[in-house]
Amino acid sequence: MSTDEKQTSSAFLPVNTFDLVVFGGTGDLARRKLIPALYHRFCDGQISGDSRIIGTSRSERTDSAYAKQMHKAYKEFSSGNDYDDSQWDEFSNKLKYVGLDVGDKAADWKALGKALSKDKDRVRVFYLAVPPKLFVPICNGLKAAGLVTENARVVLEKPLGTDHASAQATNAGVGAVFDENKIYRIDHYLGKETVQNLLVLRFGNILLEPLWSNRAIDHIEITVAESIGVGGRGAYYDTAGALRDMVQNHLLQLLCLTAMETPASLDADDVRTEKLKVLRALRPITKDVASYVTVRGQYARGKVDDEVMPDYLTDVGVDFSETETFVAIKAHIDNWRWAGVPIYIRTGKRMASRRSEIVIQFKPVPHSVFGPTKLNPNKLVIRLQPDEAVNLWMEIKEPGAGGLRLKTLPLNLSYADNFAVRYPDAYERLLMDVVRGNLSLFMRGDEVEAAWKWVDEIIKSWADSGQRLELYQAGQDGPDESHDMLAKDGNKWV
Ligand code: BG6
């Protein structure tokens, strides 16, 4: 497709004027993601009027020092293509700063109140980009200071707890201040273009639904591979591991969107109720089966893209750690649609390359009329990132004389070939959805708790059965045991 034929324009739904307070306003997430996302929405004309963005953290600084700090961070972490000096200058007028000790300094909360608009109807967003132990104290502080107005909402950034009990306690504490429909629990994977496309692919086309079950699907694979290590996040990561950091949220959300029933509508509760049903139908992984259906790995020294990378222990700066940086699980959803269909999920750091994809492996045709010629079963590969695409692998006849020769080729629906638009970062969409009051792409409290319940059982099974930690070389796609797990079923990771 020529550039002229590609889809080039995007339409933006306007959002109301808002005040957005970022707790953790100088932290990693604010600098790398939130402020750049807001800048891009501003450039596209979506942030109007005298909307304000108020960063808070413990130390004191002026508005202009804060704006300068965010500018420096933007230059460091965000790509330069869309940057424009004069637009940044205009945007930075919206940036304010309030020093706030979440403790009990009433004066700080008062200062925050002063920085907010006096207009009681204005949308107020409190974004908690802070460790989860601060979620409830901040909500209580907001309430005590009288800042929770009718149009106020709170955004909770992951990790949403460290287990089922802590997630429940957080939900209860935050829920005592904000109604459930005012709580936005972020899983940034839900803001990715290709993840939202899963809904369109499944429910906007009639072709797939009749095949979308154990009748035609043999198994499903979900891979979220990263080539990066734990970077500067070792202290957090070593207490979490891949299961809590990635599976409990991102991978289970992908699994839910892949496996859920058709919701009655795209309204938040219709979608979230269907996802919850999937989570509740996940077969528990008990200690008797854990070693057959799960693999835990940790990266050792090795080469990624020809560069030698240190092992995990060196990255984290410890002599010993049992934390997994890779996990593979053979999951089952015990319901009519998915009975007997293994769903293999895996994620890991320092793997060969960055690649997230969902593979739907269809069953072979019931009877081949092509004699001994090998037929490859159809396969739908949904590439989430990078090189976003949907590929449906089919059998076709190779042209030319010389008998009936078959070839397996993809119907290729590549984003790059069809769209010449900039893909907004997931946070851009999610932040504007919060302002708009659209909860569809956010997790409900019961969803988060159900996901933790399943994950808690795995952690317990690992501990009770003394599940081994397998080493894999950096640059390798996880430990051999992960390949063996599929090989035992006659399958292999794509
Ligand atoms: C985060 C995890 O939620 O997602 C990180 O905490 C991980 O460990 C990141 O690197 C991956 O996100 P993305 O958008 O780069 O795939």
Side-chain angles (χ1 to χ4, degrees):
M1 190 178 279
S2 75
T3 316
D4 292 350
E5 287 170 295
K6 290 184 194 177
Q7 173 79 40
T8 53
S9 68
S10 295
F12 302 112
L13 296 177
V15 299
N16 290 333
T17 307
F18 61 86
D19 286 354
L20 185 149
V21 181
V22 183
F23 288 85
T26 56
D28 211 47
L29 187 77
R31 290 181 304 132
R32 281 177 194 265
K33 294 286 184 186
L34 303 181
I35 300 297
L38 290 162
Y39 167 67
H40 287 297
R41 292 297 85 227
F42 174 78
C43 292
D44 282 339
Q46 216 175 0
I47 299 183
S48 59
D50 69 336
S51 293
R52 302 161 200 193
I53 298 154
I54 304 162
T56 79
S57 71
R58 271 193 302 201
S59 48
E60 289 299 333
R61 50 171 73 63
T62 60
D63 291 348
S64 69
Y66 182 60
K68 256 194 208 138
Q69 189 183 0
M70 293 303 112
H71 185 237
K72 190 163 165 258
Y74 183 91
K75 290 281 192 173
E76 189 180 346
F77 300 121
S78 301
S79 76
N81 293 350
D82 312 305
Y83 178 77
D84 178 278
D85 258 333
S86 62
Q87 285 208 296
W88 178 275
D89 285 347
E90 251 188 83
F91 169 73
S92 66
N93 288 331
K94 303 200 169 300
L95 294 178
K96 313 274 172 233
Y97 182 83
V98 174
L100 189 146
D101 188 339
V102 172
D104 51 5
K105 276 208 197 154
D108 287 357
W109 290 103
K110 232 185 188 161
L112 178 60
K114 267 179 101 180
L116 292 164
S117 160
K118 297 289 157 286
D119 177 358
K120 285 258 179 304
D121 295 330
R122 176 179 290 212
V123 169
R124 274 185 188 175
V125 179
F126 298 110
Y127 198 118
L128 311 195
V130 291
K133 63 175 192 293
L134 294 178
F135 289 171
V136 178
I138 290 177
C139 289
N140 289 337
L142 290 168
K143 186 174 175 190
L147 302 181
V148 183
T149 48
E150 188 62 31
N151 260 336
R153 50 209 68 168
V154 66
V155 185
L156 306 182
E157 181 62 45
K158 75 171 268 268
L160 299 168
T162 49
D163 56 16
H164 181 250
S166 57
Q168 252 184 340
T170 303
N171 281 341
V174 174
V177 177
F178 289 92
D179 289 344
E180 179 62 34
N181 65 3
K182 298 287 170 65
I183 305 174
Y184 291 73
R185 297 177 189 81
I186 286 230
D187 183 314
H188 78 278
Y189 265 57
L190 295 179
K192 289 183 189 272
E193 287 290 333
T194 44
V195 175
Q196 289 162 47
N197 187 43
L198 269 176
L199 293 173
V200 179
L201 193 70
R202 285 198 57 200
F203 306 125
N205 297 294
I206 199 161
L207 290 179
L208 295 175
E209 177 54 23
L211 301 176
W212 211 257
S213 72
N214 52 12
R215 279 193 296 278
I217 293 177
D218 183 80
H219 65 272
I220 296 175
E221 296 176 14
I222 302 178
T223 295
V224 177
E226 298 185 276
S227 54
I228 54 167
V230 294
R233 300 163 71 227
Y236 149 74
Y237 194 90
D238 205 41
T239 62
L243 186 64
R244 288 190 178 93
D245 184 52
M246 295 293 286
V247 175
Q248 188 275 339
N249 36 76
H250 308 324
L251 277 97
L252 285 185
Q253 287 295 317
L254 295 179
L255 182 148
C256 284
L257 292 178
T258 307
M260 72 184 191
E261 297 299 316
T262 316
S265 76
L266 287 187
D267 285 354
D269 277 330
D270 286 343
V271 175
R272 301 190 302 179
T273 299
E274 292 309 334
K275 287 196 285 167
L276 180 64
K277 286 185 201 160
V278 174
L279 292 167
R280 290 203 172 142
L282 276 172
R283 188 181 299 169
I285 294 182
T286 58
K287 80 172 197 301
D288 302 335
V289 298
S291 64
Y292 304 109
V293 300
T294 68
V295 177
R296 324 172 53 220
Q298 188 185 82
Y299 63 82
R301 188 181 149 90
K303 272 189 184 172
V304 180
D305 282 341
D306 284 339
E307 203 185 321
V308 177
M309 295 295 174
D311 62 4
Y312 172 76
L313 300 180
T314 310
D315 270 353
V316 180
V318 292
D319 293 333
F320 174 80
S321 170
E322 279 282 297
T323 301
E324 80 285 350
T325 61
F326 173 94
V327 58
I329 300 173
K330 175 179 166 184
H332 279 281
I333 298 170
D334 286 331
N335 63 17
W336 275 36
R337 188 187 281 266
W338 296 114
V341 178
I343 304 183
Y344 305 104
I345 60 181
R346 68 174 165 169
T347 183
K349 302 258 183 223
R350 285 261 198 267
M351 290 172 64
S353 58
R354 178 173 185 250
R355 179 166 68 101
S356 298
E357 74 191 6
I358 299 173
V359 177
I360 311 293
Q361 180 63 67
F362 291 96
K363 291 184 171 168
V365 294
H367 166 72
S368 173
V369 296
F370 302 102
T373 309
K374 185 174 179 301
L375 278 180
N376 288 313
N378 298 132
K379 187 168 65 185
L380 179 70
V381 181
I382 305 163
R383 175 62 91 104
L384 303 174
Q385 64 184 26
D387 307 328
E388 294 77 357
V390 178
N391 276 284
L392 179 58
W393 291 79
M394 319 263 297
E395 295 296 272
I396 64 155
K397 179 189 174 299
E398 204 175 315
L404 196 61
R405 282 170 288 123
L406 303 189
K407 186 129 186 110
T408 313
L409 283 177
L411 288 175
N412 181 355
L413 213 164
S414 134
Y415 269 54
D417 287 351
N418 288 282
F419 300 102
V421 293
R422 180 181 77 84
Y423 304 154
D425 183 79
Y427 281 94
E428 294 183 40
R429 165 76 196 254
L430 295 175
L431 280 164
M432 293 301 100
D433 274 3
V434 176
V435 177
R436 241 186 248 124
N438 181 358
L439 279 153
S440 298
L441 297 177
F442 298 84
M443 294 176 293
R444 209 167 52 193
D446 49 6
E447 244 184 282
V448 174
E449 288 177 24
W452 273 121
K453 216 172 186 175
W454 190 68
V455 162
D456 273 6
E457 172 113 35
I458 298 175
I459 293 170
K460 186 167 181 309
S461 298
W462 282 350
D464 291 351
S465 66
Q467 171 110 356
R468 278 169 51 115
L469 185 70
E470 317 290 347
L471 290 183
Y472 61 100
Q473 275 183 10
Q476 197 190 330
D477 270 342
D480 294 342
E481 286 74 6
S482 137
H483 300 281
D484 297 345
M485 183 171 81
L486 271 70
K488 281 186 201 130
D489 296 342
N491 297 325
K492 75 190 217 317
W493 291 109
V494 170

